[in-house]
Amino acid sequence: MSGDIEDKPQPLIEHLMELRTRLMWSIGAFFVAFIVCFIFAKHLFNALVFPYKWAVQWAHLDVSKAQLIYTAPQEFFFTQVKVAMFGGLVIAFPIIAAQIYKFVAPGLYKNERAAFLPFLIASPVLFLLGASLVYFFFTPMVMWFFLTMQQAPGEGDVAISLLPKVSEYLSLIMTLVFSFGLVFQLPVITTLLARVGLLTSQWLREKRKFAIVLAFVVAAVLTPPDPMSQIGLALPTIILYEIAIYAARLVERQRARDAINEADGSTDVAKTDNV
């Protein structure tokens, strides 16, 4: 009896073994990327400081006097660890995404694999677009806003200067990068949901006004309390929402064409059988 059980195929065990293999490749890729990024952590952090330097220039301050501080002995070390983890995740993401695709692909039909692959490519591209917007525009604008709140020494006034901590600056820029990166995934997510029939372009159009209000609410929570910063996040979100509506409409048209082609194919088969 036990021999019969052992001779039977065990698809669940095979799936778990396949999952273990994909996880090992993903973790290994992240670990190697983490080690490389940790070796160059100071250089990576200096690259992340460029937006702060640009903000200092926008505020017409002396760039040579711009500095970041740390107040605990271990703070800068753990900041470098976070930088290495952040960089390792970015570098290893293509490999991790490929492993996810290889694990999911055997369970998909050929047309489903062909439909899924473009989203696998579009997702990191859109994330990088959002991160680039943060790096080259949004972070300098946020830091410029904070720098303008400094107070110069004068009669009856004390000097109030901004001295950002390395950990807090890294936390700010990482939060903004992930926020914008996730917002830029909106067209990908809505297109996938439209492809499986969970939402329609008509539903998205009807909820447009709520989406606009939500975009400004989220922007108000994630950004400093000035109109330029809020618009800087809310406006791309609204534009991406409109792109998502258009993408969902394209998916619906493609599904309609596929349905017509299938119906025509069924009709041709029926006519052939009758002949």
Side-chain angles (χ1 to χ4, degrees), residues 260-275:
I260 293 173
N261 292 334
E262 291 179 2
D264 292 340
S266 301
T267 302
D268 294 338
V269 171
K271 288 182 180 178
T272 303
D273 293 340
N274 291 333
V275 172

Side-chain angles (χ1 to χ4, degrees), residues 125-196:
V125 171
L126 289 174
F127 187 90
L128 289 177
L129 286 176
S132 300
L133 181 62
V134 169
Y135 185 84
F136 291 104
F137 175 72
F138 200 73
T139 299
M141 183 178 64
V142 170
M143 295 308 298
W144 168 81
F145 171 79
F146 290 138
L147 286 168
T148 57
M149 300 179 66
Q150 295 183 113
Q151 178 175 287
E155 186 176 352
D157 296 328
V158 297
I160 301 177
S161 302
L162 174 64
L163 292 175
K165 296 175 62 176
V166 291
S167 59
E168 293 176 350
Y169 176 79
L170 179 65
S171 177
L172 173 65
I173 194 170
M174 287 179 60
T175 299
L176 292 175
V177 165
F178 279 115
S179 299
F180 273 75
L182 292 177
V183 166
F184 271 65
Q185 301 303 310
L186 186 60
V188 174
I189 296 173
T190 54
T191 304
L192 284 173
L193 293 177
R195 185 174 289 275
V196 299

Side-chain angles (χ1 to χ4, degrees), residues 7 9 14 50 57 60 96 116 129 134 186 195 199 231 237:
D7 292 339
E14 293 177 2
F50 278 118
Q57 293 176 344
H60 304 289
I96 296 174
F116 184 74
L129 286 176
V134 169
L186 186 60
R195 185 174 289 275
L199 56 79
I231 295 173
T237 305

